[in-house]
Amino acid sequence: MQPILNKTVEFVKFTLANAEAGHDWFHIERVFKTALNINKQEDGDELVVALAALLHDIADPKFNNGDEELGPRVAEEFMTSINVAKEVVAHVKLIIQNMSFKNSFDHNGFSSKEMQIVQDADRLDAIGAIGIARAFTYGGFKNRVLYDPEISVEQHHSKESYKNTTAPTINHFYEKLLLLKDMMNTATGTALAQKRHDFMLAYLDHFYAEWEGR
């Protein structure tokens, strides 16, 4: 397994060398480490978990004109090129196609223990201290305002509504980040999420106090 993972790490580092800071190699590395830690408790297929974690953002649609098929295709072609077993390639591709938050609006039928583990790891990196940093990094990348009290929080009910939002970064906490705690799949992920969720609530309290000059 290790030679496969070594080649995959090298490929991902090269491919994401110039990626936006919230979706770069370091994001992948954190998700990879967290997924393996969760897997120790949840007992999924380690190779599937590892490959899905490493390749899940290899061509994020946000940075590729919304193309949701590019990432799974690039991942499939790479895994095939290094002779990963066909059944593993198929499983990892399904995970990449279905694990993102925006796809939760589709209520698709695919799930697996391994997808649940990697999805939890990815969602954990979206919350807590690092999640806050990533949210503002992406907001800056999109030139969004930090906060505007005149712009109400919108609860999205479709993938298109979520994808097309241009709301301030603080709104993103309520439209996604604070929802993730209750969307975790595994007991291990849920326990980790609670701590990060509480940190975000404390941060927001400080943010609003400072906004009012207190």
Side-chain angles (χ1 to χ4, degrees), residues 75-90:
E76 179 181 32
E77 291 172 354
F78 169 73
M79 288 185 288
T80 300
S81 76
I82 60 170
N83 299 313
V84 175
K86 289 182 179 180
E87 62 272 18
V88 173
V89 172

Side-chain angles (χ1 to χ4, degrees), residues 121-147:
D122 189 39
R123 288 176 172 175
L124 283 165
D125 206 54
I127 60 179
I130 287 175
I132 292 169
R134 292 182 67 215
F136 285 107
T137 295
Y138 185 71
F141 177 80
K142 300 294 285 187
N143 199 31
R144 293 178 182 167
V145 298
L146 299 178
Y147 175 52

Side-chain angles (χ1 to χ4, degrees), residues 204-214:
L204 288 168
D205 286 343
H206 281 273
F207 183 94
Y208 294 127
E210 293 178 17
W211 189 268
E212 297 300 329
R214 301 196 303 273

